[in-house]
Amino acid sequence: DSGVTQTPKHLITATGQRVTLRCSPRSGDLSVYWYQQSLDQGLQFLIQYYNGEERAKGNILERFSAQQFPDLHSELNLSSLELGDSALYFCASSVESYNEQFFGPGTRLTVL
Amino acid sequence: AQKITQTQPGMFVQEKEAVTLDCTYDTSDQSYGLFWYKQPSSGEMIFLIYQGSYDEQNATEGRYSLNFQKARKSANLVISASQLGDSAMYFCAMREVMTGNQFYFGTGTSLTVIP
C-alpha cells in the first residue's frame, strides 16, 4: 500500500457526462500528479500540483481540469466525456517536485 | 523525439537468473532524475529505484540496480535472481528540471519469469 488513496475505483458513465476523480496524497507529501494510462497512449502525464499551486502541465485536454485543496487532496474533473477518455487514471504524490512518486491504485473510467 | 525509449516490448527470463531491461533517454538538461516503476497485473504502479543525473555511483535497491551510463544516455534496470513475482510491466521514467520537473514515461517492457 503506497499510502495514496483514490476514489472511486471504477466509474462507468456515458458520453457527454462529467465526472470527478478524487485523490488523497500520502501524509506529508506536498506534490500531486495526475496521469492517464490507456492501451494506445501508454502513461501520459496530465498535470502536477505542489502545495495548492499548479506546477507543471502535460498533455491535459481543455475539457479536463484539476485542483489541489488546502488539505492537499486533489480532484481531477473530466467533462464532455468521449469514448476515447476511457482509461486508467492514476494519482501520484511525492514530498517535493523531484522525488520519487508514489502511485495510488487508480480509477478505471469507462465511457459508454 | 521520444524522451524515454524502451525497445523491448517483452522479455522472458528463467527464475533465479538476472535480466536487464533497457532504457534510453533524451534530454539536454544537466539536472534530471531517472526512475523505474513496476506495474503488476493488478494495476498498481510500484516505485523501484531512482538515479540522479549527478550521482556518480549506480543506484541499488535490494535485487534491483540501475546501470547508469550518462554519456550513452542509458539507464538500464538489472534485476538479479529473478522471482516469479517479478513478472510485470516495467516502466522507465525521467524527471526533467528544465521542463518544470515534468515526468516522462516510456512505453514499458513486459517481463515474464519462467519457472
Side-chain angles (χ1 to χ4, degrees):
Chain A
D1 185 344
S2 67
V4 179
T5 59
Q6 287 187 250
T7 55
K9 284 190 91 149
H10 302 276
L11 200 47
I12 301 174
T13 188
T15 53
Q17 294 298 303
R18 183 179 190 276
V19 297
T20 298
L21 313 184
R22 185 189 164 100
C23 168
S24 292
R26 292 187 320 158
S27 177
D29 285 359
L30 297 177
S31 222
V32 168
Y33 308 77
W34 286 98
Y35 292 89
Q36 178 193 58
Q37 187 178 35
S38 57
L39 283 173
D40 56 342
Q41 293 283 334
L43 196 65
Q44 298 283 320
F45 166 71
L46 295 178
I47 198 163
Q48 178 204 354
Y49 281 84
Y50 178 81
N51 205 19
E53 306 255 330
E54 184 184 301
R55 180 60 67 92
K57 216 166 188 176
N59 301 320
I60 189 165
L61 299 172
E62 284 194 16
R63 300 184 285 109
F64 295 1
S65 65
Q67 55 185 322
Q68 186 179 28
F69 294 87
D71 67 352
L72 301 177
H73 92 272
S74 178
E75 292 181 358
L76 178 67
N77 302 296
L78 314 175
S79 60
S80 303
L81 284 167
E82 301 174 1
L83 295 177
D85 297 328
S86 295
L88 188 54
Y89 290 83
F90 282 108
C91 167
S93 74
S94 63
V95 175
E96 292 286 343
S97 289
Y98 45 82
N99 300 96
E100 64 270 25
Q101 299 172 19
F102 293 88
F103 281 73
T107 292
R108 183 163 295 283
L109 173 68
T110 303
V111 182
L112 301 174
Chain B
Q2 292 289 329
K3 289 282 190 183
I4 296 287
T5 303
Q6 294 180 255
T7 56
Q8 307 153 313
M11 290 279 286
F12 291 87
V13 65
Q14 204 75 39
E15 196 178 3
K16 298 184 183 140
E17 297 291 310
V19 63
T20 298
L21 307 183
D22 294 342
C23 172
T24 56
Y25 59 92
D26 180 26
T27 183
S28 55
D29 202 348
Q30 295 303 307
S31 181
Y32 52 90
L34 297 157
F35 304 79
W36 277 92
Y37 286 85
K38 171 184 177 182
Q39 187 176 36
S41 57
S42 51
E44 74 267 33
M45 295 282 283
I46 302 165
F47 165 72
L48 296 178
I49 196 165
Y50 164 78
Q51 178 88 39
S53 57
Y54 295 114
D55 295 340
E56 301 270 327
Q57 305 264 43
N58 285 343
T60 58
E61 289 285 348
R63 293 185 300 110
Y64 304 109
S65 60
L66 199 152
N67 185 0
F68 181 44
Q69 296 188 49
K70 197 169 183 176
R72 298 178 67 178
K73 293 190 175 174
S74 79
N76 298 340
L77 177 71
V78 180
I79 305 174
S80 62
S82 296
Q83 302 172 356
L84 296 178
D86 294 335
S87 294
M89 281 289 288
Y90 288 82
F91 292 94
C92 179
M94 176 178 67
R95 170 194 52 81
E96 202 178 38
V97 172
M98 73 179 191
T99 54
N101 285 314
Q102 275 209 42
F103 273 75
Y104 302 92
F105 280 77
T107 50
T109 295
S110 175
L111 177 67
T112 302
V113 180
I114 304 164

